[in-house]
Amino acid sequence: MSESKSPIVEKIREGVIGFGMARWIIVAFLFIIWIVAALWTDENLGKMFGDCLVRTGMNGVLVLALLLPVRAGNGLNFGLPLGIVCGLIGGIIGMEFAAEEPFGIFATSEFLSRGWSGFIFAHVVALPLAALCGLALGWLVERVRGQEMMVGIYVGFGAIAGMCVIWLVIPVKSQELVLPIGGHGVRQTVLIDDYYTRILDHWPRSAEEGASAPEALLHRVFDFGTMEPVEAGNAKPRTRAEARSWVPHRKYTGFFVPVGVLLYWLGMCGLLALFLRTRIGVAMTAAGSNPDFARSIGIHVPRMRIASMVASTMLGAVGILVYSQSYGFYQLYKAPLWMAFPTVAALLLGGASLKKASVFHVIIGTLLFQSLLTTSLPVVNTLVKDSAYASSLSNLPEIARLIIQNGVILYALSRVTGGRK
Amino acid sequence: MTSPPPALELDGIRKEYYGNVVLQGVDLTLAKGEIHALLGENGAGKSTLMNILFGMPVIAETGGFDGEVRLAGAPVAFGSPEEAMAGGIGMVHQEFMLIPGFTVAENIKLNREPLRPTKVFKPFGNALRRLDEGVMHADARASLDRIHLDLSSHVLISALPVGHMQFIEIAREVDKSAIKVLVFDEPTAVLTEGEAETLLGIMRELAEQGIAILFITHRLEEVMRVADSVTILRDGQRVWSGPKQETSVEHIAETMVGRDLESDEVPVLAARDEKPQTTILEVRDLAVAMPGESVRGLDLDIRRGEIFGLGGLAGQGKIGVANGLMGLYPTTGSVKVNGAELRLNQPRESLNAGMSFVSEDRRGVGLILDESIEMNIAIPAVEVKSKFLRGPRSGWLKSFGWFDGTAARRHAESMIERLDIRTMGPSQAVGRLSGGNQQKVCLARAMVLDPDILLVSEPTRGIDVGAKKLVLDLLVELNREHGLTVIMTSSELMELRSVCDRIAIVTEGKVAGILPPDAPDVKFGLLMSGEAV
């Protein structure tokens, strides 16, 4: 059967099979949703696609954070909230410097709190902290070999609970941070509007937005659409007169590419892909693929595993900073509690397993999972709006999200084969 | 007057695993009250024969067997070990099948407990009837007395010394009232001399009570003391059977090991003229805690440029030697490579000292099954020798050199050609290769480190004849042409004798003796059985 096929056809065939059935189904499902949205709803498709990209870039780094522990044999890092908390601490400490008396002692520094320098300073504070926490997490999961994921979940939950107490007692002075009642402790939701909201998403900015000449030039290169909310086009025509003035393409004008955040994420993906080809990266992969093999060639397997957890926690910290700049808020207290789960689901959806994962899985998984969430939610909502079951069906997308998210995780866990081989 | 039928008859038992014949028509007759020793090297077919006798599922799953098993004259076909036990066959296991948290009586009566009805759970039938503790302990007491074990039946197993556990196993089998045939599988392996003595006494007594005993062991001296008759298996064939009086330790040893000349797969190589003399590896008092293959105080001197063989029966520690030298299992003692003391328990140190290892656990330690051939060969080179890297090679940045896929592929391609690895290409996952080709990849991965000393464990296990010859030829070639010192561990004595300059037989964790490859069979057999030559 296959002898007559040309190598190109063969390559394509391999690629199609390699992409995996699950992913083709999701791609098909996405197309169905988009077609439905185009034909039967008033959704602005351009904005919808733009949102998919924004959500992808926003969550991408968090998904990337899961890659190394899988490669090193630690499974899925459900302890990701630990890194997230470190990122949040970095962000809050940075913002506090805008206050008159940061923490009651230092001098005010707009430089450390706002704009690019503020965003970078948040990284500077968060990363060493995350490295330390990652070291502790790595040490802990090394102690509970075989139970990494379960212990990770508890560490994540525990870190969140512990931080709830700490957020309450942190002596912040900034009016934007402090709890209005009581006068100490940090708020539940911290608005970062005046600090670095969407600083990555909106890069490169246009000249009108105050960009430098090179940035403005880049902006023109990457100008795929506007960020201005476009009115949702005209409604579907009901009469002949309406049909004459109907401009269907208005539905597509809100398209926007968050160039900065995508570059930031993809750049990090590239770096990690490169890292996996270094001597350490190869050693880490070997340690994960077959610890006995790795040990027999002198690789210190526990050290590799701990290093993967350190890297993962640090990327988790960066991940939440990227997420928050896009989101516009820092959400503290219990908000990060469940963040590891959609992240894990995205990676698995991309085709990773508990033992194998690649940068490709991260990229595809994030794109598909976030697109699915971003588009199915409004579309299904619009579709069921007028139905008699509207109130009961309005939760459908959320229910679907939970089923997909937890179903994917469950599926991956059920496929673990104990022991080696 | 017709004599009663023998307790157990095995008639023309033939078994093959996937076309590989492991038993070719074995007969065995066990009379009532007889102790019959079943002897043979590893792989001679003893275990398979026992699996057939006990109706182990693995036999049926692999296509059943030919021949007939008769118990007291009546043909039987056991479908499971439970049926075999109900039929009156018992087994004293080499590894103890006891529950440490249960008492002696509970272990003896496990799953055969005397029950008495309770009022509360009466409607639920048998499963919820109460254990009759009184009867249990009385029965256990009787069984313990029967083997003269002065021990309370209330003691927890976990509180007993190892030696006693073996006796509890026996008590459990003896307690089964219908027991007719009892199999002892290397019962003395873990016992001290005194305990072994007692055990042999018990065996004699049980035999006198009319139980037929099948005694599997490798200690020939024990055979001579207690057995009535002897059957020797070799390569799935019964090569000798008869009463003990007609044989001797020497005869058994020779029969177990000896091969017909025409069955030799590899011809013995011509001896070399120059005798290498300098010592490359000096091992003193080596102890390796490798489960099931522990080494206990082994001394060795390996000469530069020789092929040194390590032989012996399974479980005696020969496998542990190479694993200990490579730092893979907790090791103590002193090892000098080229006169320099080697830091033990550090795989990297051993590798840096110029040793390279082809593991007996090909699929576990030897290879990353999901990875490609090229990566399996390249990863060790990248890690140990910083080969196949671009960018910084020294200093602290050397860990961040980039992997050079092209160079690794070129190397893999050259190895595929040189070792004749049958594959679709260097990017094929090694898990998809046949055993022989996997072994060639293992060799390639050991050779890529440019070692001075190559440790090869069980290089031909589970691979076909053609690959076997290629692997052995390669070892000889590496040795003769590149001056590589080879330490080869193998269960196949013939294989060692065909390529090695000297062969050490490891017994009970120590070197029992070192022989030239052309020493007579009987000497090898005696060393394996722990007898002095």
Side-chain angles (χ1 to χ4, degrees):
Chain A
M1 271 180 96
S2 62
E3 73 271 15
S4 61
K5 278 184 185 141
S6 70
I8 300 159
V9 174
E10 202 50 33
K11 272 263 156 67
I12 293 173
R13 212 178 71 94
E14 266 171 38
V16 168
I17 293 171
F19 195 60
M21 194 48 149
R23 275 151 298 289
W24 283 122
I25 291 173
I26 289 163
V27 168
F29 184 65
L30 273 176
F31 270 103
I32 290 170
I33 286 192
W34 289 334
I35 289 166
V36 167
L39 295 181
W40 289 292
T41 75
D42 297 332
E43 283 299 319
N44 180 338
L45 282 193
K47 186 166 176 301
M48 206 155 82
F49 290 142
D51 282 350
C52 287
L53 292 180
V54 172
R55 294 278 305 235
T56 301
M58 184 170 164
N59 287 280
V61 182
L62 285 171
V63 181
L64 191 63
L66 298 173
L67 179 61
L68 286 184
V70 175
R71 296 288 287 220
N74 270 333
L76 299 158
N77 181 12
F78 281 100
L80 197 62
L82 192 66
I84 291 176
V85 158
C86 293
L88 291 174
I89 293 175
I92 296 301
I93 289 180
M95 285 177 73
E96 169 71 1
F97 277 98
E100 264 178 39
E101 284 184 324
F103 302 112
I105 28 177
F106 303 108
T108 310
S109 171
E110 295 283 327
F111 180 77
L112 293 183
S113 63
R114 286 185 215 274
W116 278 109
S117 54
F119 189 57
I120 292 165
F121 182 65
H123 282 74
V124 171
V125 177
L127 285 176
L129 194 64
L132 281 178
C133 290
L135 208 59
L137 179 61
W139 177 82
L140 186 68
V141 296
E142 202 46 49
R143 288 276 154 132
V144 293
R145 199 98 290 282
Q147 313 267 306
E148 298 90 354
M149 290 193 276
M150 202 174 66
V151 167
I153 291 177
Y154 290 122
V155 167
F157 284 3
I160 301 288
M163 275 314 290
C164 282
V165 178
I166 296 176
W167 292 129
L168 270 178
V169 299
I170 286 184
V172 286
K173 289 280 178 282
S174 165
Q175 287 308 304
E176 278 152 283
L177 292 177
V178 76
L179 270 174
I181 315 158
H184 59 80
V186 193
R187 293 168 194 233
Q188 187 116 24
T189 306
V190 175
L191 201 65
I192 54 173
D193 257 356
D194 301 334
Y195 295 83
Y196 34 72
T197 293
R198 315 207 75 178
I199 194 160
L200 281 175
D201 291 16
H202 279 189
W203 187 90
R205 292 167 301 166
S206 63
E208 300 90 71
E209 290 167 312
S212 59
E215 192 184 333
L217 190 70
L218 274 177
H219 173 81
R220 291 175 66 178
V221 173
F222 288 117
D223 190 13
F224 298 111
T226 78
M227 195 44 206
E228 306 310 315
V230 174
E231 280 161 42
N234 337 28
K236 199 176 176 185
R238 290 199 184 83
T239 65
R240 269 168 192 284
E242 270 179 30
R244 271 195 293 277
S245 63
W246 189 45
V247 192
H249 68 259
R250 285 288 299 275
K251 287 174 90 178
Y252 308 98
T253 47
F255 187 57
F256 161 73
V257 179
V259 176
V261 74
L262 287 180
L263 280 182
Y264 192 71
W265 171 51
L266 290 174
M268 240 179 254
C269 287
L271 277 179
L272 219 58
L274 209 60
F275 169 78
L276 288 172
R277 302 281 284 177
T278 64
R279 190 161 166 261
I280 293 191
V282 168
M284 207 177 255
T285 309
S289 308
N290 184 347
D292 293 326
F293 178 98
R295 219 164 63 82
S296 79
I297 55 171
I299 293 171
H300 198 291
V301 177
R303 203 176 286 160
M304 288 298 145
R305 286 185 168 138
I306 292 173
S308 80
M309 293 313 261
V310 171
S312 174
T313 308
M314 289 170 78
L315 278 170
V318 174
I320 194 65
L321 291 175
V322 172
Y323 181 93
S324 300
Q325 63 81 30
S326 199
Y327 195 57
F329 307 97
Y330 281 125
Q331 286 192 302
L332 309 181
Y333 298 90
K334 276 159 76 181
L337 197 58
W338 299 102
M339 281 194 90
F341 292 80
T343 317
V344 163
L347 182 68
L348 296 174
L349 211 64
S353 68
L354 299 189
K355 307 203 116 189
K356 293 205 107 168
S358 68
V359 172
F360 177 76
H361 294 146
V362 170
I363 295 173
I364 290 297
T366 316
L367 194 62
L368 288 183
F369 186 68
Q370 292 301 334
S371 301
L372 202 61
L373 297 194
T374 318
T375 48
S376 62
L377 217 116
V379 171
V380 177
N381 267 342
T382 330
L383 284 181
V384 302
K385 194 166 55 188
D386 302 326
S387 99
Y389 307 104
S391 59
S392 51
L393 283 177
S394 61
N395 264 339
L396 205 61
E398 177 63 10
I399 293 165
R401 180 182 79 84
L402 285 175
I403 290 174
I404 293 171
Q405 174 185 310
N406 294 305
V408 164
I409 296 175
L410 212 54
Y411 174 71
L413 289 178
S414 70
R415 287 192 22 155
V416 185
T417 44
R420 58 188 202 206
K421 280 169 193 164
Chain B
M1 181 191 144
T2 53
S3 57
L8 176 73
E9 280 171 290
L10 301 174
D11 193 4
I13 304 290
R14 193 189 136 83
K15 168 74 193 159
E16 50 182 83
Y17 283 113
Y18 310 109
N20 192 1
V21 181
V22 290
L23 285 176
Q24 22 194 328
V26 172
D27 303 326
L28 195 148
T29 309
L30 188 55
K32 206 170 169 231
E34 179 194 24
I35 299 183
H36 194 115
L38 182 63
L39 306 171
E41 275 189 285
N42 309 114
K46 289 176 295 183
S47 313
T48 310
L49 199 58
M50 288 308 108
N51 285 345
I52 289 172
L53 182 57
F54 279 87
M56 289 295 191
V58 62
I59 299 295
E61 281 161 17
T62 52
F65 66 97
D66 300 331
E68 197 174 48
V69 179
R70 281 190 296 274
L71 208 55
V76 288
F78 297 126
S80 70
E82 289 76 22
E83 286 178 30
M85 284 176 204
I89 303 180
M91 179 142 190
V92 178
H93 298 273
Q94 197 174 353
E95 295 100 22
F96 308 122
M97 305 270 186
L98 298 169
I99 304 175
F102 280 19
T103 64
V104 169
E106 282 164 342
N107 268 289
I108 290 177
K109 301 297 280 188
L110 191 63
N111 213 20
R112 298 180 295 110
E113 293 93 346
L115 301 170
R116 64 170 192 225
T118 53
K119 289 208 172 71
V120 182
F121 295 125
K122 202 168 181 182
F124 299 99
N126 279 351
L128 286 179
R129 284 199 291 177
R130 268 180 66 190
L131 305 187
D132 194 332
E133 301 252 345
V135 178
M136 264 175 76
H137 282 282
D139 281 1
R141 186 71 263 151
S143 302
L144 291 172
D145 286 344
R146 204 166 157 195
I147 60 166
H148 306 290
L149 195 59
D150 188 15
L151 185 75
S152 162
S153 58
H154 294 272
V155 181
L156 289 181
I157 292 293
S158 55
L160 292 178
V162 176
H164 277 60
M165 295 188 191
Q166 187 80 73
F167 294 103
I168 306 295
E169 286 253 336
I170 298 169
R172 185 184 60 205
E173 298 307 319
V174 168
D175 184 65
K176 298 172 182 167
S177 46
I179 197 93
K180 294 186 195 98
V181 177
L182 196 49
V183 179
F184 282 77
D185 186 8
E186 302 224 8
T188 54
V190 290
L191 301 185
T192 63
E193 238 165 85
E195 287 165 344
E197 198 70 18
T198 318
L199 184 108
L200 296 180
I202 291 169
M203 281 171 67
R204 272 259 65 101
E205 244 174 83
L206 291 174
E208 274 156 28
Q209 291 167 14
I211 295 174
I213 291 177
L214 199 55
F215 182 29
I216 301 174
T217 186
H218 67 261
R219 295 189 179 172
L220 302 186
E221 166 256 357
E222 287 171 359
V223 172
M224 296 318 286
R225 283 187 36 209
V226 297
D228 299 312
S229 46
V230 176
T231 292
I232 302 173
L233 297 183
R234 192 209 305 150
D235 296 335
Q237 275 174 313
R238 190 182 74 173
V239 288
W240 195 86
S241 189
K244 176 182 68 176
Q245 289 74 20
E246 289 174 18
T247 184
S248 66
V249 169
E250 287 76 18
H251 171 247
I252 295 174
E254 193 172 2
T255 317
M256 268 169 61
V257 171
R259 306 269 141 130
D260 305 332
L261 271 175
E262 62 266 24
S263 77
D264 281 3
E265 281 153 8
V266 201
V268 175
L269 291 160
R272 272 177 296 182
D273 301 335
E274 8 75 82
K275 287 266 187 268
Q277 282 309 331
T278 53
T279 301
I280 188 165
L281 189 69
E282 189 184 321
V283 179
R284 289 289 171 273
D285 200 23
L286 185 80
V288 184
M290 180 175 180
E293 284 283 349
S294 58
V295 180
R296 309 182 183 92
L298 173 134
D299 298 331
L300 262 187
D301 284 298
I302 312 287
R303 297 176 197 145
R304 180 179 298 281
E306 73 175 335
I307 301 184
F308 189 86
L310 283 169
L313 295 172
Q316 298 295 316
K318 66 175 184 301
I319 299 285
V321 179
N323 279 288
L325 289 175
M326 292 310 291
L328 299 180
Y329 287 92
T331 305
T332 57
S334 150
V335 177
K336 280 186 184 147
V337 183
N338 282 322
E341 192 75 33
L342 177 76
R343 272 177 62 205
L344 297 174
N345 302 311
Q346 305 277 343
R348 183 52 68 89
E349 294 285 327
S350 304
L351 292 162
N352 288 344
M355 292 197 271
S356 187
F357 182 39
V358 177
S359 173
E360 71 288 346
D361 187 0
R362 196 158 54 215
R363 299 170 69 84
V365 179
L367 296 169
I368 304 181
L369 295 177
D370 296 340
E371 280 285 4
S372 61
I373 295 172
E374 55 184 356
M375 285 310 277
N376 268 286
I377 301 175
I379 290 174
V382 167
E383 290 310 316
V384 181
K385 294 278 177 185
S386 294
K387 274 188 187 178
F388 308 132
L389 288 176
R390 273 184 299 217
R393 296 226 179 162
S394 55
W396 66 274
L397 268 174
K398 79 170 182 208
S399 291
F400 291 94
W402 294 295
F403 178 64
D404 184 351
T406 335
R409 168 150 302 193
R410 265 203 305 274
H411 180 81
E413 276 166 354
S414 75
M415 290 316 276
I416 287 173
E417 171 135 15
R418 180 165 172 208
L419 302 185
D420 189 25
I421 300 173
R422 304 284 162 80
T423 171
M424 286 157 68
S427 55
Q428 195 181 11
V430 292
R432 300 269 185 90
L433 298 177
S434 71
N437 287 312
Q438 286 181 352
Q439 186 66 333
K440 291 176 199 166
V441 176
C442 286
L443 278 164
R445 113 163 167 74
M447 275 152 55
V448 75
L449 303 179
D450 304 325
D452 295 332
I453 307 172
L454 183 63
L455 296 103
V456 193
S457 287
E458 304 285 8
T460 62
R461 182 190 278 173
I463 71 180
D464 59 279
V465 178
K468 234 176 221 183
K469 180 160 170 28
L470 199 139
V471 165
L472 294 179
D473 285 351
L474 179 74
L475 291 177
V476 173
E477 183 199 317
L478 287 170
N479 171 261
R480 300 292 141 89
E481 285 166 26
H482 303 272
L484 199 63
T485 309
V486 179
I487 302 176
M488 174 166 153
T489 311
S490 177
S491 303
E492 305 262 339
L493 190 55
M494 272 324 286
E495 187 179 293
L496 291 175
R497 291 169 78 178
S498 69
V499 297
C500 294
D501 296 306
R502 295 188 299 153
I503 298 163
I505 300 298
V506 180
T507 302
E508 296 182 353
K510 291 191 174 74
V511 174
I514 297 178
L515 294 169
D518 50 2
D521 290 348
V522 55
K523 287 197 173 181
F524 284 105
L526 287 174
L527 286 180
M528 283 185 184
S529 315
E531 310 278 328
V533 184

